[in-house]
Amino acid sequence: MIQFVANHDDLSTDKGFQFKFYCDKCRNGHMSRFQPNAVGIAGELMRAAGSLFGGMFNEAGNAAYHVQRAIGGKAHDAALDTAVQEGKQHFKQCTRCGHWVCPDVCWNGKAGLCEDCAPDEHEELAAQQAQAGREQIYTKTRAQDYTKELDFLNRGGIVQCQSCNTKLNPTQKFCPQCGTPNAALAQAKEKFCSDCGATMKGEQRFCAECGSKQ
């Protein structure tokens, strides 16, 4: 049985063999030492070159085949086995779930299991407290109404200065740019007839009750 098969990268080239193994939990890794491919590589590469340059374009497939033979085969399998034995020294296997994990980050030495199966109590407490804090912040922030002051239907209308077109707050009496009075406030202000005291609209020039000019 060759272990680490499911969690490694094969970095081998025609120059030699090298493999990278990963922790099943955090993906930290260990790269095996480089093993030169001295067995049969010279002959295979010469045959590859001969197939590539000595024939026509239809020989390119043969060249690729010889390069693959130079990388693969028994030498590759032996190098992988050596790398596996080397890599096992840098990982621990959990007897509960079977995962291979790095001892520095993902292994609970007190329990003799990986931290997926036996989390560290202090780390788990801190993680759960942080998670609960995030959930409470989420709940409380959504309980607040941050838009109650916004006029979604534009009931107040968009007010602009009649002189310079600057946008005005509906409660501003004068334009902050040019000092022109806010026409909307002037129109909204109650007006009364100077003769009979009847209520009038801001744009009225004559009283509707007594007809006097204002």
Side-chain angles (χ1 to χ4, degrees):
M1 179 181 294
I2 299 178
Q3 297 164 322
F4 292 109
V5 171
N7 61 336
H8 80 278
D9 288 338
D10 190 344
L11 306 178
S12 301
T13 67
D14 57 343
K15 303 297 183 183
F17 309 104
Q18 196 167 29
F19 306 88
K20 184 184 292 184
F21 302 98
Y22 295 96
C23 169
D24 283 331
K25 184 175 185 292
C26 72
R27 301 297 293 172
N28 281 337
H30 167 74
M31 185 178 293
S32 68
R33 61 183 179 83
F34 180 77
Q35 303 177 61
N37 183 10
V39 181
I41 186 171
E44 291 295 346
L45 292 180
M46 288 179 64
R47 283 189 287 271
S51 296
L52 182 60
F53 298 109
M56 300 299 291
F57 291 106
N58 58 0
E59 295 295 330
N62 291 333
Y65 167 73
H66 287 301
V67 171
Q68 181 60 35
R69 285 191 61 188
I71 299 175
K74 293 182 178 180
H76 177 274
D77 294 342
L80 175 59
D81 183 64
T82 300
V84 165
Q85 298 307 316
E86 176 188 330
K88 287 175 65 175
Q89 301 176 20
H90 300 274
F91 295 87
K92 289 184 177 295
Q93 187 177 30
C94 179
T95 56
R96 185 173 185 271
C97 66
H99 289 167
W100 290 87
V101 297
C102 58
D104 295 334
V105 178
C106 302
W107 182 255
N108 188 333
K110 295 180 180 179
L113 299 171
C114 74
E115 290 196 349
D116 276 337
C117 295
D120 179 272
E121 292 87 351
H122 297 290
E123 292 179 353
E124 187 66 17
L125 176 60
Q128 293 301 326
Q129 288 174 339
Q131 178 64 29
R134 285 194 295 268
E135 293 174 355
Q136 291 172 9
I137 291 173
Y138 180 91
T139 301
K140 290 182 178 181
T141 53
R142 277 153 183 75
Q144 301 296 321
D145 186 358
Y146 300 99
T147 62
K148 60 183 179 181
E149 302 297 333
L150 298 179
D151 185 7
F152 288 100
L153 300 179
N154 195 28
R155 293 189 178 93
I158 298 177
V159 181
Q160 289 183 314
C161 175
Q162 293 181 336
S163 297
C164 65
N165 294 325
T166 298
K167 289 185 179 180
L168 304 177
N169 187 311
T171 60
Q172 288 180 308
K173 295 181 179 180
F174 299 92
C175 174
Q177 296 296 325
C178 66
T180 301
N182 188 337
L185 286 180
Q187 293 178 359
K189 187 177 180 180
E190 288 187 334
K191 182 178 179 181
F192 301 94
C193 176
S194 59
D195 290 342
C196 67
T199 302
M200 299 178 59
K201 294 183 179 180
E203 67 275 11
Q204 282 184 262
R205 299 179 62 186
F206 294 88
C207 176
E209 296 293 330
C210 67
S212 62
K213 185 177 180 180
Q214 304 297 309

